Every structure is written in C-alpha cells, then in structure tokens.
Amino acid sequence: MSEHQDILHALQSVLEERKNSDPDESYVAALYAGGADKILKKIGEEAAEVILAGKSDDDEHLVYEIADLWFHSLVLLASRDLSAQPVLAELARRFGVSGLEEKATRSKQN
Amino acid sequence: MSEHQDILHALQSVLEERKNSDPDESYVAALYAGGADKILKKIGEEAAEVILAGKSDDDEHLVYEIADLWFHSLVLLASRDLSAQPVLAELARRFGVSGLEEKATRSKQN
Amino acid sequence: MSEHQDILHALQSVLEERKNSDPDESYVAALYAGGADKILKKIGEEAAEVILAGKSDDDEHLVYEIADLWFHSLVLLASRDLSAQPVLAELARRFGVSGLEEKATRSKQN
Amino acid sequence: MSEHQDILHALQSVLEERKNSDPDESYVAALYAGGADKILKKIGEEAAEVILAGKSDDDEHLVYEIADLWFHSLVLLASRDLSAQPVLAELARRFGVSGLEEKATRSKQN
C-alpha cells in the first residue's frame, strides 16, 4: 500500500533533482530547458498514444502509455514547482474520498 | 504522506463500485456503458484542456485539468480491470526508484 | 474539379458571414464568441475522434471526422482573419507542386 | 482561384506516387509503411502543435502547423485510397454550399 505513495514522492524528488542536471544528459532536464511548449507537446503525443493503446487488447502496452502520460504530467507540474499532491487532493475532493478517512476505515477492518 | 496512496485506493474502490451503477445516474457508469471509444475520446479532450491550461499562469486551473486527465485514465484502467498500481510500478522501474527502498531511506533519516 | 476550390471559397464566405451572427443561433458564431480556447479545445476533441475513426474500417466515418477537424481548423483561421489559402500554399511549397503549373501540365495532356 | 483545387489534386498525385517509394527515402512512404498507428500518432502530435500555435500571435506559425495537420490527414486518407474530395463534399453538404452553385453565382457577378 505505502509503496504507491512512496513512488510518487520518490519520483517528485527525482524530478526536482533534474532541475540541476545537464539537458544534454537528462531527458527531464531537456524537457525543462525546452519550456512549457515542449512539455505540452509531449502531453499531446502521449495522449494520442494512450488512445491508440486503448484500442488494442494489450494491457501492458496501455499501462506503459498511461505511465508516459502521467510522467509528462508530473514533469509539467514540477516545471511549475507543483507536485502530484494537489492533483490527488482535487480527485479526493470530487469523489468525496479522503485518504485519512479511508485509512481509518481500513484500520477498523483489519 | 499515506494520504496520497490512500486516495488512489479509495478512488479505485469508487470506480469499481460504479460498475454496478445506473449509467443515467452516474457519470462513471455512463463512461463504462459508452465503451472504450467514449472514454478514449474524453482522454483526448482532457489532454487538450491540459495543454491550454499549461499556457496560462493559473496553477489551480492546471491542477484541475490534470486531475481530469488522470481521472479519465483511471476510468480507462478500471474499465479493463486494471488499477493505478502497474502504472506507478512502471514509473518506479524507469526511474530506478522504489517505494519500499525510498521508504526505508526516509525511515533511517527520521 | 473546380468544385473543390469553390467549396473552400464558399465555406470561407459562410465563416465570414457568421461573424455577424447571434452566438445563440449559430454554432460558428458561438465558437467565435468562445474565443481561441474554445476553438482549440474542439480541435483537440476532433483530432481524438479522427484517431478513433482511423482505427475502424468505416471510411465514411473517417471522412466525417476529418471534415470536422478541417472545419474547426477553418473556423480557427477565420477567427484570425485567415483562410485556407496560405495553408494550401504552404502544402504546395513543401511538395514542390503548384496549382498553376499542375493545371498547365494537365491542359497539355488534354 | 483554381489554384487551390489544383494544389489538392497535385498533392493527391504526389501521395499516390509515394506508395511506390522507398520508406528510407520518402517521409510519406515511411508513414505508409508504419501503418495506421504511425499516421494517427502524427495527427495527435500535429493537433497538439496547432493548439500551441493557436495560443501565439504568430499567424505564419499557425498556418504552418495547420498545413502539417492537414497534410497528415491527407496521408491518412491516401493510405485508405481516399482523397480530400469526400471531405470537402461533406463540408459542402453541412453548410448547404456547393462548388457548382457558388461558381454559377460568381459567374453571374462577373
């Protein structure tokens, strides 16, 4: 369970570190250096790839393409000094779910 | 910290529950009923909205649109009985980060 | 032959006329009133529909969706007081084809 | 006037010729060889570029990106042995415009 959350945190750390990397040696640093348009163009490309993967039966391929789409979303957020946290908070708000409440519920069940 | 992970888990539960909901009463159930094309079309729409939001300085708006994009990705995954877990695992694999390792590192630091 | 060219001209006239129409009564006028973002969002949506149609064998459906994509491109151009003319000129430039030269060639052949 | 129509015809001829070209030497032949997914992915990319160009004031850039989008639409059509003709016919049908009628009208005016 905690693995997921930790992955997002670990990724965030990597994305922050890359702000000091050489664009010639780091793909993420090259995206930052390319500016918003470069990152946004990638989001358009990856969305098209998700749509195409969504038309095939290959689950692994779909997961791979969604990972690409989410990854570039995280780069976009990081480029503006944002993280996945407010995105997940917005999702929680919409669906009336709360990590803390859910956790409490599960604790009672166990 | 655990809040994030719990939000994804709680959302997953909601998306599973909606498989038994009336498409006339639940937006998610209507997406499932519409089939892959309906969900994939939404992913294209939301990607366009992220690109447009990415051109403005409004962080809140950007977060909102990325939440929309991720949400429809989760619906797509759920429609194929998949969750966010393999997506995060793929991201972890690429960046050589592991929730468990990262967690262990942080535990030592604290 | 001349039909195609005349269609683009006729469409251009319609798009110009709609600049004076009531957004409540004309779809095109509503797009203009919505501004660039509204038109650009539609281009993203229609591109997703073309991708989905491109995965089916239904030629008629594909033609319909490409017509939608081109139509919204023409609305975007018209909203900036541009027409299809420079777009076609750019295509001609790239491929080393020229309407006039091509016409001359064909005239010789007939 | 006839230039536009002739450009589309000339382009169509080029796209047909490329079906016999070496994918290593012709970009269009490489697209055909890549199959529908390769062409459809490009349509997604070019749509994202149109959206980004639509947010700038550079008309020339916008025209360039729309030319890219239309070009890949024409490649998609050609890959299925279709042309721009039914697309323009669909647009004419929707807007109640007809090249022939429009031409007749203009002839009377001149």
Side-chain angles (χ1 to χ4, degrees):
Chain A
M1 288 283 293
S2 344
E3 204 174 335
H4 292 186
Q5 149 201 2
D6 289 337
I7 287 170
L8 284 174
H9 272 273
L11 258 173
Q12 197 68 35
S13 302
V14 171
L15 294 179
E16 281 305 315
E17 281 171 23
R18 292 295 187 277
K19 289 183 180 174
N20 306 311
S21 297
D22 182 350
D24 289 337
E25 294 181 7
S26 154
Y27 174 67
V28 175
L31 285 174
Y32 291 140
D37 278 22
K38 193 182 178 77
I39 304 171
L40 295 171
K41 190 189 159 189
K42 286 302 298 180
I43 284 176
E45 285 182 33
E46 302 305 340
E49 303 241 36
V50 168
I51 294 173
L52 290 170
K55 294 296 284 181
S56 90
D57 291 332
D58 184 341
D59 283 347
E60 223 169 299
H61 182 50
L62 179 64
V63 162
Y64 184 93
E65 298 299 351
I66 291 178
D68 257 352
L69 182 60
W70 286 26
F71 168 68
H72 287 91
S73 307
L74 290 168
V75 173
L76 177 60
L77 290 165
S79 74
R80 289 168 69 147
D81 296 320
L82 297 166
S83 74
Q85 185 169 17
V87 173
L88 294 174
E90 167 64 21
L91 288 172
R93 193 190 60 73
R94 285 186 206 182
F95 288 86
V97 302
S98 147
L100 293 176
E101 286 169 23
E102 167 75 1
K103 194 184 169 187
T105 310
R106 280 205 312 277
S107 298
K108 283 179 206 159
Q109 289 172 337
N110 296 341
Chain B
M1 290 281 292
S2 342
E3 204 174 335
H4 293 185
Q5 151 201 2
D6 289 338
I7 287 170
L8 284 174
H9 271 273
L11 258 173
Q12 197 69 33
S13 302
V14 171
L15 294 179
E16 281 305 314
E17 281 170 23
R18 292 296 187 276
K19 289 183 181 175
N20 305 312
S21 296
D22 181 350
D24 289 338
E25 294 183 7
S26 154
Y27 173 67
V28 175
L31 285 174
Y32 291 140
D37 278 23
K38 193 182 178 76
I39 304 171
L40 295 171
K41 190 188 158 190
K42 285 303 297 181
I43 284 176
E45 285 182 30
E46 301 306 340
E49 303 242 38
V50 168
I51 293 173
L52 290 169
K55 294 297 286 181
S56 91
D57 291 332
D58 184 342
D59 283 347
E60 222 170 300
H61 182 50
L62 179 64
V63 162
Y64 184 92
E65 298 298 352
I66 290 178
D68 257 352
L69 182 60
W70 286 26
F71 168 68
H72 287 90
S73 307
L74 290 168
V75 173
L76 177 60
L77 289 164
S79 74
R80 290 169 69 146
D81 296 320
L82 297 166
S83 73
Q85 183 169 18
V87 173
L88 295 174
E90 167 64 21
L91 289 172
R93 193 190 61 73
R94 286 187 205 181
F95 288 86
V97 302
S98 148
L100 294 176
E101 287 169 23
E102 168 75 2
K103 194 186 169 187
T105 310
R106 280 205 314 275
S107 298
K108 282 179 206 158
Q109 288 171 339
N110 295 343
Chain C
M1 288 282 293
S2 343
E3 204 174 335
H4 292 185
Q5 149 202 3
D6 289 336
I7 287 171
L8 284 173
H9 271 273
L11 259 173
Q12 198 67 35
S13 302
V14 171
L15 294 179
E16 282 304 315
E17 280 170 23
R18 292 294 187 278
K19 289 184 181 174
N20 305 312
S21 297
D22 181 350
D24 289 338
E25 294 182 8
S26 153
Y27 174 68
V28 175
L31 285 174
Y32 291 140
D37 278 23
K38 193 182 180 77
I39 304 171
L40 295 171
K41 190 189 158 189
K42 286 302 297 181
I43 284 176
E45 284 182 32
E46 302 305 340
E49 302 242 38
V50 167
I51 293 173
L52 290 169
K55 295 296 285 182
S56 90
D57 291 331
D58 185 341
D59 283 347
E60 223 170 301
H61 183 49
L62 180 64
V63 163
Y64 184 92
E65 298 298 352
I66 290 178
D68 258 351
L69 182 60
W70 287 26
F71 168 68
H72 288 91
S73 307
L74 290 168
V75 172
L76 177 61
L77 289 165
S79 75
R80 290 168 70 146
D81 296 320
L82 297 166
S83 73
Q85 183 169 18
V87 173
L88 295 175
E90 168 62 23
L91 288 172
R93 193 191 59 74
R94 286 187 206 181
F95 288 86
V97 302
S98 147
L100 294 176
E101 287 169 21
E102 167 75 1
K103 195 185 169 188
T105 310
R106 280 206 313 278
S107 298
K108 283 179 205 159
Q109 289 171 338
N110 296 341
Chain D
M1 289 282 291
S2 343
E3 204 174 337
H4 292 185
Q5 150 201 3
D6 289 337
I7 287 171
L8 284 174
H9 272 273
L11 258 173
Q12 197 68 34
S13 302
V14 171
L15 294 180
E16 281 304 314
E17 281 170 23
R18 291 295 188 276
K19 289 184 181 175
N20 305 312
S21 297
D22 182 351
D24 289 337
E25 293 183 8
S26 153
Y27 174 68
V28 175
L31 285 174
Y32 290 140
D37 278 23
K38 193 181 178 78
I39 304 171
L40 295 171
K41 190 188 158 190
K42 285 303 298 180
I43 285 177
E45 286 181 31
E46 301 307 338
E49 303 242 37
V50 168
I51 294 172
L52 290 169
K55 294 297 284 182
S56 90
D57 291 332
D58 185 341
D59 283 347
E60 223 170 300
H61 182 50
L62 179 64
V63 162
Y64 184 92
E65 299 299 351
I66 291 178
D68 258 352
L69 182 60
W70 286 25
F71 168 68
H72 287 90
S73 307
L74 290 169
V75 173
L76 177 60
L77 289 165
S79 74
R80 290 169 69 146
D81 297 320
L82 297 167
S83 73
Q85 183 169 20
V87 173
L88 295 175
E90 167 64 21
L91 289 172
R93 192 191 61 74
R94 287 187 205 181
F95 288 86
V97 302
S98 148
L100 293 177
E101 287 169 22
E102 169 74 2
K103 194 185 168 187
T105 311
R106 279 206 314 276
S107 297
K108 283 179 205 159
Q109 288 172 338
N110 295 342

